[in-house]
Amino acid sequence: MKNTKSSYTITILTELLAGKALVSNDMHVSNANQYFCDIKNTGIELVETWDKNHTNNGRHKVRELELSIENIQKAKKYLNRLMGIKSKNNEKNSRSH
């Protein structure tokens, strides 16, 4: 059985890496903000800005991936780990032992 939490995080990371700006309403789950927090807790930087709601006077956060090379690499590495894909560096290290 696939880990649901991991699946949502994979979806969010995939979309962020594709250059999309996301809001919590883009995910149809009860608390999408927790997945953005999980991503940030791994050291991946997100650019968060406030935007006005279209339906009321409130506002919401819009999140994008910080586009530094190091940050993109961290995001890809974390995405691969969630998907169960081993990095080439890990494969080389495991062969040499």
Side-chain angles (χ1 to χ4, degrees), residues 7-74:
S7 297
Y8 290 129
T9 307
I10 288 169
T11 301
I12 290 171
L13 274 173
T14 301
E15 292 190 14
L16 288 171
L17 282 164
K20 293 184 182 178
L22 301 174
V23 297
S24 60
N25 287 345
D26 291 337
M27 298 299 300
H28 302 288
V29 295
S30 62
N31 183 11
N33 289 319
Q34 70 182 339
Y35 304 107
F36 292 107
C37 288
D38 288 344
I39 290 168
K40 291 188 325 185
N41 287 340
T42 63
I44 298 168
E45 294 181 50
L46 300 178
V47 176
E48 299 177 321
T49 55
W50 288 100
D51 195 12
K52 289 184 176 186
N53 290 346
H54 299 289
T55 57
N56 59 35
N57 290 330
R59 58 191 188 137
H60 60 274
K61 276 188 181 178
V62 178
R63 296 169 173 102
E64 296 178 82
L65 191 64
E66 169 62 44
L67 295 178
S68 70
I69 293 170
E70 180 182 335
N71 197 53
I72 292 170
Q73 289 173 342
K74 281 183 194 177

Side-chain angles (χ1 to χ4, degrees), residues 10 13 17 73-88:
I10 288 169
L13 274 173
L17 282 164
Q73 289 173 342
K74 281 183 194 177
K76 287 179 179 179
K77 185 176 180 179
Y78 184 49
L79 178 61
N80 286 342
R81 187 171 45 152
L82 290 173
M83 294 174 67
I85 299 171
K86 292 185 178 183
S87 69
K88 292 178 183 177

